[in-house]
């Protein structure tokens, strides 16, 4: 009688299964392509007989980025508890970087972009959408992260439809310089943190500048004058892909800004500054030809992909700071 479960056959089946899981993980690790928010907005508006008004393009960008998070190859992987995704960390890190940018923009839309002043009422759709994107990214049951994020997307669809509906007076988006500057300030902090974490891949001794510039400033507990910062070897690729995901999302959001805030940018003579930021972020999306994130020393024989990414993000962040100053000028 033919045996199907001899030790050799079991080992062979196991090897085939491991190879299959490895191939699937490679396919699922492929990052999504970029898209053009204005083209997406025009296409959707034409298909649904809506008008592309102020806020329509950046809302479309937020929707598309959020949907990509759920619908890309392999779907949303961060909360999976079965192989091969439970053993993957690069794509979940990428997803978290995207998610952080989605959360920042959805909060800015709720508290700034959709309100005319501090005493005005919040938009009902954004009031629901923003906390839904803050659901635990690792939650896989009751409720799952995907289900809550999809509810947030559904509310963004309703908000976008209300923008072009003249009968819904509360569906507003205010493309003002102060609103844009407030959101950019939050983006600066997010990108600055990523830049520092990437730069710490080689280890650096930093001076404590937490209280610099204010002689009366205080902090809760004392800290050393010199701090040694070095990203753990196990966290190098996670930090790299988180930064890559955040840059991918921000790239699309700023393209939406370029369309919706066109008049503001022209008045402040700031369009070219925004376009330079977009170019720096596009450079962060160049293909990684190495099978792993290399961590050579700063001037060593091997490349250091974290430092390259930090360079582009730092330049983009510096340009963001300059753009904020331009928007603050009369």
């Amino acid at each position: 009688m033919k045996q199907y479960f001899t030790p050799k056959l079991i080992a062979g089946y196991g090897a085939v299964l491991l190879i299959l899981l490895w191939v699937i993980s490679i396919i699922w690790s492929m990052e999504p392509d970029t898209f053009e928010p204005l083209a997406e907005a025009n296409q959707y508006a034409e298909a649904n007989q809506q008008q592309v008004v102020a806020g329509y393009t950046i809302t479309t960008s937020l929707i598309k980025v959020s949907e990509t998070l759920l619908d890309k190859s392999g779907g949303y992987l961060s909360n999976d508890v079965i192989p091969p995704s439970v053993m993957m960390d690069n794509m979940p890190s990428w997803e978290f970087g995207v998610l952080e940018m989605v959360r920042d923009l959805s909060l800015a839309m709720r508290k700034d972009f959709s309100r005319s002043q501090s005493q005005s009422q919040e938009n009902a759709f954004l009031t629901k959408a923003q906390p839904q994107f803050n659901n635990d990214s690792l939650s896989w049951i009751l409720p799952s992260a995907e289900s809550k994020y999809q509810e947030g997307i559904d509310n963004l669809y309703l908000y976008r439809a209300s923008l072009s509906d003249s009968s819904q007076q509360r569906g507003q988006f205010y493309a003002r310089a102060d609103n844009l500057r407030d959101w950019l300030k939050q983006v600066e902090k997010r990108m600055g943190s990523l830049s520092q974490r990437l730069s710490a891949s080689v280890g650096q001794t930093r001076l404590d500048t937490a209280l610099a510039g204010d002689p009366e400033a205080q902090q809760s507990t004392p800290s050393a004058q010199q701090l040694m910062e070095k990203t753990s070897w196990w966290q190098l690729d996670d930090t790299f892909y988180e930064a890559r995901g955040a840059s991918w999302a921000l790239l699309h959001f700023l393209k939406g800004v370029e369309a919706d805030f066109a008049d503001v940018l022209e008045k402040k003579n700031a369009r070219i500054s925004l376009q330079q930021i977009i170019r720096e972020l596009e450079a962060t999306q160049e293909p990684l030809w190495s099978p792993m994130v290399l961590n050579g020393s700063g001037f060593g024989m091997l490349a250091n992909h974290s430092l390259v990414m930090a360079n582009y993000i730092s330049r983009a962040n510096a340009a963001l700071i300059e753009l904020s100053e331009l928007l603050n000028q009369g």
Side-chain angles (χ1 to χ4, degrees):
M1 184 175 180
K2 192 172 182 180
Q3 295 184 357
Y4 292 96
F5 295 102
T6 64
K8 287 185 178 180
L9 285 177
I10 292 175
Y13 293 150
V16 171
L17 178 60
L18 288 176
I19 293 173
L20 179 61
L21 292 176
W22 177 69
V23 172
I24 292 175
S25 67
I26 291 177
I27 295 173
W28 286 0
S29 294
M30 294 180 180
E31 299 170 29
D33 293 331
T34 58
F35 61 90
E36 291 299 326
L38 183 57
E40 292 282 340
N42 288 329
Q43 181 179 353
Y44 186 88
E46 183 178 355
N48 292 273
Q49 298 182 340
Q50 297 177 357
Q51 293 183 338
V52 179
V53 295
Y56 196 95
T57 304
I58 193 171
T59 306
T60 299
S61 179
L62 180 56
I63 291 173
K64 181 70 174 178
V65 166
S66 303
E67 287 182 332
T68 302
L69 194 62
L70 304 183
D71 301 336
K72 60 179 174 52
S73 178
Y76 185 73
L77 303 177
S78 294
N79 61 348
D80 283 4
V81 294
I82 59 174
S85 48
V86 71
M87 299 179 291
M88 299 168 60
D89 60 352
N90 291 346
M91 183 51 67
S93 296
W94 185 92
E95 292 173 346
F96 186 72
V98 174
L99 183 59
E100 288 285 84
M101 285 296 175
V102 168
R103 288 170 171 173
D104 288 345
L105 180 55
S106 62
L107 177 60
M109 292 184 68
R110 174 184 177 180
K111 69 185 185 69
D112 293 319
F113 291 137
S114 63
R115 304 174 65 196
S116 59
Q117 53 188 346
S118 61
Q119 300 300 317
S120 57
Q121 188 174 353
E122 292 183 339
N123 181 275
F125 300 130
L126 295 177
T127 301
K128 296 178 182 177
Q130 182 265 324
Q132 287 164 342
F133 285 118
N134 281 277
N135 192 69
D136 184 2
S137 61
L138 302 180
S139 176
W140 62 279
I141 191 171
L142 299 177
S144 67
E146 297 99 315
S147 65
K148 299 302 291 185
Y149 299 159
Q150 185 59 57
E151 290 176 13
I153 293 170
D154 294 341
N155 278 298
L156 288 178
Y157 269 102
L158 296 173
Y159 170 69
R160 182 177 62 178
S162 71
L163 292 178
S164 59
D165 187 351
S166 58
S167 65
Q168 296 191 40
Q169 298 296 319
R170 290 188 177 180
Q172 298 289 347
F173 183 97
Y174 298 97
R176 300 198 314 254
D178 59 333
N179 286 345
L180 177 57
R181 186 171 182 269
D182 288 343
W183 173 61
L184 291 179
K185 284 296 181 183
Q186 179 60 37
V187 173
E188 289 172 19
K189 296 175 182 178
R190 186 76 65 188
M191 299 299 281
S193 175
L194 288 172
S195 176
Q196 291 293 332
R197 290 165 57 196
L198 288 165
S199 298
S201 62
V202 294
Q204 290 183 330
T205 301
R206 301 184 185 277
L207 298 177
D208 184 11
T209 59
L211 303 181
D214 188 349
E216 298 181 359
Q218 297 180 354
Q219 62 187 68
S220 56
T221 56
S223 56
Q225 293 298 312
Q226 294 188 14
L227 305 172
M228 180 60 186
E229 295 184 2
K230 183 173 176 60
T231 302
S232 166
W233 187 84
W234 295 101
Q235 297 296 321
L236 286 173
D237 56 342
D238 295 346
T239 303
F240 178 86
Y241 280 100
E242 181 185 338
R244 200 165 165 94
S247 300
W248 181 86
L250 181 59
L251 166 65
H252 296 100
F253 296 159
L254 292 181
K255 285 185 176 182
V257 166
E258 185 178 10
D260 287 332
F261 289 82
D263 293 340
V264 172
L265 295 171
E266 288 294 338
K267 181 180 179 181
K268 301 288 185 177
N269 198 24
R271 179 184 290 273
I272 192 68
S273 297
L274 178 62
Q275 291 174 340
Q276 182 59 40
I277 299 169
I278 291 173
R279 287 197 176 189
E280 298 292 354
L281 293 175
E282 287 175 337
T284 67
Q285 303 304 306
E286 291 294 323
L288 180 65
W289 297 108
S290 171
M292 63 182 294
V293 177
L294 296 179
N295 190 45
S297 61
F299 295 97
M301 295 286 291
L302 298 178
N304 187 304
H305 295 129
S306 297
L307 290 183
V308 174
M309 180 68 76
N311 174 58
Y312 288 123
I313 289 181
S314 295
R315 288 162 59 178
N317 201 36
L320 278 168
I321 295 171
E322 293 179 358
L323 177 59
S324 295
E325 292 303 315
L326 284 175
L327 294 172
N328 194 40
Q329 295 174 5

